[in-house]
Amino acid sequence: MRVGGGSVAELGDVIRSMGYQRPLLVTDAFMVQIGAAENLISSLSGRGLEPCLFSETVPDPTTDSLWVGVLLAQDHNADCVIGFGGGSPMDSAKAIALLVAQGGQMSDYKAPRINSGPALPIFAVPTTAGTGSEATQFTIITDSKTDEKMLCIGPAFLPVAAIVDFELTLSMPARLTADTGIDALTHAIEAYVSRKANNFSDLLALKAVNSIAGNLERAYLDGQDRSAREAMMFASTQAGMAFSNSSVALVHGMARPLGAHFHVAHGMSIAMLLPAVTEFSVGSAIPRYADCARALLCASDSDPDRLAADKLVDRLRTLATDLAVPTPRSHGISEQEWKKLTPLMAQQAIDSGSPGNNPVVPDVAEVAALFDQVYA
């Protein structure tokens, strides 16, 4: 990892030092529009590399959106892949790296399969502070035929190197700042309360929660607040490392079908769900949620665990209000469609496996009831 303001300039040297020459740069139209993709291509070429640009990734990438990138990587004889952007370009880069090496369909690689490779080496350069994808062994791709958001797992998706440059986040709009920031916070909390939590992930998770405390609101209100942006970028990476070494849980399990069926961005889906799901789960891991509350600075060391855990739920609700997180209803989702798809979304959430890591493991009926509650 190369970490710090301006570190994106070191990407070419990192790639060369690891013996690669022909990267496929995977990004999106926005990064092209603002000139960031062209600048990075120029930087890579200036280091003697031969990059090729694929900028047709889409939000919440689909199986259909990958194939042009796969073909371009093959035609370019790419020896590595760079994911440059938010979670969608990085998820796309991870999927392309695997498909180029192994072929087949992305559905062949979805959980519970563990994918150990082979895959092209992945270099991750995040431009948002939220997904933590630069430090995880996960990618999420939506099946274009079924609208299922497929969780794909394994070391084949773990980047070989990452550039964590907070200056790349300075242009993030407020809405994206809020949603990706809540996603990072959820990664950290779920990693800490997960049934797969361990001493290593615990340290990273609580540090990430503490770094987010106060800084998320500051970055939301003033995108040019460099110290807040830097804290959020580090927290995002720490949270990514935490959940990659434990797991996410019920919030993420429910967010995937919500986002897939209603085309809601992943971070916003998470933000819609976090308070209600935490309230549902809190009684089964009171000391753990209390630790999160203290790290988030919404409870004191002198508060009993139950009070601290309850304060966390209250803080998450206040945070959603302060950051103008919409409900599915206020976002414009039809109540009729919501109710129609709730049984399917509940089953898909359970089938994803993530709810099995939750402190209280729900059944399909309980997940459906939570979807009803969240619609508001």
Side-chain angles (χ1 to χ4, degrees), residues 135-176:
T136 76
Q137 55 180 324
F138 305 111
T139 189
I140 300 174
I141 304 295
T142 299
D143 190 317
S144 298
K145 294 179 180 177
T146 66
D147 272 345
E148 177 190 2
K149 270 197 171 184
M150 300 179 293
L151 174 64
C152 305
I153 305 170
F157 301 120
L158 184 66
V160 297
I163 304 292
V164 183
D165 184 346
F166 77 90
E167 292 181 353
L168 296 173
T169 71
L170 294 174
S171 62
M172 285 173 60
R175 179 74 268 144
L176 185 60

Side-chain angles (χ1 to χ4, degrees), residues 6 65 79 91 100 125 183 220 224-225 301 342 351 358 371 374:
S65 73
D79 58 6
D91 277 355
V100 169
V125 187
D183 191 21
Y220 173 74
Q224 296 301 307
D225 187 328
D301 291 341
T342 287
D351 291 345
N358 208 55
F371 275 127
V374 164

